[in-house]
Amino acid sequence: MSLGAVEEESREIRLPADVDWHMLDKSRFFVLGAALFSGVSAALYPAVVLKTRQQVNLAPIPCSKMAFLMFRQEGPRSFYRGFGTSLMGTIPARALYMAALEVTKSNIGKASIRVGFSETSSATIANAAAGLSASMAAQLVWTPVDVVSQRLMVQGNFPKNGFSCSPTTNYSNGFDAFRKILSVDGFRGLYRGFGISALTYAPSSAVWWGSYSVSYRLIWDGISCYKCKWKNDEKNCENGKILDPNPLCMVGVQGVSAALASGFSALFTMPLDTIKTRLQVLEADRNTRSRPPTVAQTVRDLVKEGGFAACYRGLGPRWASMSMSAATMVTTYELLKRLSTKHQAS
């Protein structure tokens, strides 16, 4: 065996140690998290509005044309319709999500290692389980917020006869929408589509966090020797060769891993997301129906309008939104955890 091969085998990657739940200053974690994620949500909100309008439209309209017509007929504020309501609900939902994510990941990760799984397998299992539990917990807050904010998103002057489920009720703001939905449909109206939301987001979140963990390590194996420097560290590596990644490289790998995980999740869950959106936006009096449409009726309407492809309306904005959101969110999230460690707070 050549000297180069021996040297290559002696190299190992030293990734930054993960920050567990017990290592965090909780108050700092939630306050900084609310500020950072609010900014990220504001930057990505227009893509969510475009995706929602495409999903509820009778005829397929290209994303660029949709954006142009919205800007011309309703003005730039139309891209942020319902944002205040969404932000008010996102802050507690995100806090619940992060708490459930970190607690589950820490506990499952330790349990997996005790059972005998390798560190890599334990990380994948813990991330997948954490994503599943965090999404289920957050849906308790996110579903009512989605129902109200999506009603506001599709409400406007553009073009009223183009929406298959444009609300007949006029809402002046989020509180007005909340009050009217509650008076017409009751408490159940605020949780319309909860089942399919959980069916959409819980597996998607589990797949996303699991695939993110795998992608993160695979990308390091592929590009670390080109992007990072080697240095001696006799304490951690017997042969004195260990990889020390720089911060810029870390951010890049996190962003690419998140985007890859998001692409698959968006493609896999798009039909369910379209059905969920229509269920939450549809009103009971549409087409003289006495009751809100069921999942089966919504699927039949979609297939009748444009075949199975109608379930993928808004895929472009959703894919872009999820990829950008995930890349930004995960880098922000990792930064948030580093900033919120107890030694940083002190």
Side-chain angles (χ1 to χ4, degrees):
M1 185 180 293
S2 66
L3 179 61
V6 173
E7 181 178 355
E8 189 69 27
E9 286 181 357
S10 68
R11 293 177 175 178
E12 60 183 59
I13 300 174
R14 180 175 62 192
L15 298 179
D18 196 17
V19 179
D20 288 330
W21 177 249
H22 69 276
M23 300 167 61
L24 294 173
D25 182 305
K26 308 304 186 296
S27 59
R28 188 182 181 90
F29 180 66
F30 289 121
V31 171
L32 283 176
L36 289 172
F37 287 118
S38 294
V40 173
S41 298
L44 300 174
Y45 194 77
V48 178
V49 175
L50 284 171
K51 182 269 298 183
T52 303
R53 290 207 174 192
Q54 282 191 302
Q55 286 178 321
V56 301
N57 206 52
L58 273 171
I61 298 179
C63 181
S64 57
K65 183 179 180 181
M66 176 82 72
F68 174 75
L69 290 174
M70 285 176 60
F71 185 84
R72 188 181 68 178
Q73 298 185 15
E74 300 177 56
R77 293 183 62 182
S78 63
F79 291 95
Y80 282 90
R81 184 170 282 120
F83 176 69
T85 302
S86 177
L87 185 62
M88 287 178 61
T90 296
I91 292 176
R94 185 66 64 181
L96 187 61
Y97 185 95
M98 292 189 297
L101 181 74
E102 288 301 320
V103 171
T104 306
K105 186 163 61 172
S106 178
N107 292 331
I108 296 296
K110 292 175 183 177
S112 299
I113 291 176
R114 286 197 299 268
V115 169
F117 287 100
S118 65
E119 183 179 348
T120 301
S121 299
S122 296
T124 303
I125 294 170
N127 276 279
L132 181 67
S133 65
S135 181
M136 289 297 294
Q139 285 306 313
L140 296 173
V141 179
W142 260 325
T143 299
V145 172
D146 271 349
V147 171
V148 175
S149 62
Q150 287 172 352
R151 295 283 185 97
L152 296 173
M153 286 179 195
V154 301
Q155 178 178 269
N157 297 324
F158 162 73
K160 289 187 176 180
N161 60 353
F163 287 117
S164 61
C165 46
S166 181
T168 57
T169 307
N170 185 42
Y171 305 118
S172 57
N173 52 51
F175 290 108
D176 183 53
F178 178 86
R179 181 180 59 82
K180 290 180 178 177
I181 293 171
L182 197 61
S183 64
V184 173
D185 298 327
F187 189 75
R188 293 181 60 184
L190 294 172
Y191 278 90
R192 184 183 298 172
F194 176 79
I196 198 167
S197 293
L199 188 63
T200 301
Y201 292 126
S204 175
S205 184
V207 170
W208 191 95
W209 280 104
S211 58
Y212 169 76
S213 177
V214 173
S215 300
Y216 183 70
R217 292 179 178 273
L218 288 177
I219 291 175
W220 270 120
D221 290 340
I223 69 171
S224 58
C225 59
Y226 300 102
K227 297 295 184 182
C228 303
K229 59 184 179 180
W230 295 96
K231 75 174 187 180
N232 292 330
D233 192 332
E234 296 179 357
K235 181 179 179 181
N236 293 299
C237 183
E238 182 179 354
N239 294 318
K241 290 293 184 180
I242 189 164
L243 181 63
D244 187 27
N246 59 66
L248 183 61
C249 186
M250 288 293 303
V251 172
V253 173
Q254 289 168 355
V256 172
S257 301
L260 289 174
S262 298
F264 178 75
S265 295
L267 189 64
F268 183 73
T269 61
M270 189 65 205
L272 291 174
D273 187 69
T274 301
I275 296 168
K276 173 195 74 70
T277 300
R278 289 204 169 195
L279 283 174
Q280 292 176 336
V281 174
L282 280 168
E283 291 193 339
D285 59 352
R286 177 179 177 256
N287 293 337
T288 67
R289 288 173 178 161
S290 58
R291 299 178 61 185
T294 62
V295 173
Q297 288 173 325
T298 304
V299 172
R300 283 197 297 268
D301 287 345
L302 280 167
V303 174
K304 186 177 180 179
E305 290 169 18
F308 186 70
C311 295
Y312 282 88
R313 288 177 185 165
L315 176 62
R318 184 167 188 255
W319 191 314
S321 174
M322 283 187 66
S323 297
M324 291 187 294
S325 175
T328 307
M329 290 286 188
V330 78
T331 52
T332 303
Y333 185 66
E334 294 295 339
L335 173 64
L336 171 64
K337 291 204 296 183
R338 306 291 168 187
L339 292 176
S340 302
T341 52
K342 292 178 180 178
H343 69 84
Q344 285 277 11
S346 61

